[in-house]
Amino acid sequence: QVQLVESGGGLVQAGGSLRLSCAASGGTFRNYNTGWFRQAPGKEREFVAAIVWTGSFTYYVDSVKGRFTISRDNAKNTVYLQMNSLKPEDTAVYYCTAGSRIPPRDYWGQGTQVTVSS
């Protein structure tokens, strides 16, 4: 059983940056793959990024490659999503996830709103 709590969302202008954080508790976070999904208004939830538990491999959806960076600090039980060069189409609720597979879908956070203005 893992609990995930996202933070760091907010309002930013196009071209700006945000860093999302996801704090894990209540389980063995270290050995779970972790990732991020997002859901924009009127759209299906989509996979954004993932990182294996060792931190040795990352994966990104094409639309964020070169702009977003996922990382994790197992000592702090935290996963991050650094988002640069943000675009209005990045506006969504972002969810932190953990699980045994890629993309990880076993555990979900409550979501944090990211709004990018033009």
Side-chain angles (χ1 to χ4, degrees):
Q1 188 68 43
V2 174
Q3 290 80 48
L4 303 169
V5 179
E6 304 95 333
S7 63
L11 175 65
V12 65
Q13 293 183 353
S17 298
L18 285 173
R19 188 183 73 163
L20 305 183
S21 298
C22 173
S25 63
T28 308
F29 172 79
R30 176 179 177 84
N31 296 127
Y32 284 104
N33 302 320
T34 56
W36 295 88
F37 286 71
R38 67 186 181 186
Q39 187 166 24
K43 295 186 178 180
E44 295 183 350
R45 190 171 297 180
E46 69 170 345
F47 169 78
V48 177
I51 185 167
V52 299
W53 72 272
T54 61
S56 61
F57 181 80
T58 58
Y59 180 84
Y60 303 91
V61 67
D62 286 345
S63 61
V64 308
K65 287 181 179 178
R67 300 189 298 120
F68 290 11
T69 302
I70 188 171
S71 62
R72 61 188 290 166
D73 186 340
N74 287 339
K76 296 182 178 180
N77 290 341
T78 302
V79 60
Y80 304 95
L81 185 68
Q82 178 67 48
M83 304 185 294
N84 298 325
S85 301
L86 283 161
K87 304 175 181 179
E89 50 263 45
D90 295 318
T91 295
V93 176
Y94 283 71
Y95 298 89
C96 177
T97 69
S100 60
R101 305 183 69 178
I102 297 293
R105 300 181 64 95
D106 298 330
Y107 302 98
W108 293 75
Q110 84 289 343
T112 186
Q113 177 70 48
V114 172
T115 302
V116 184
S117 62
S118 60

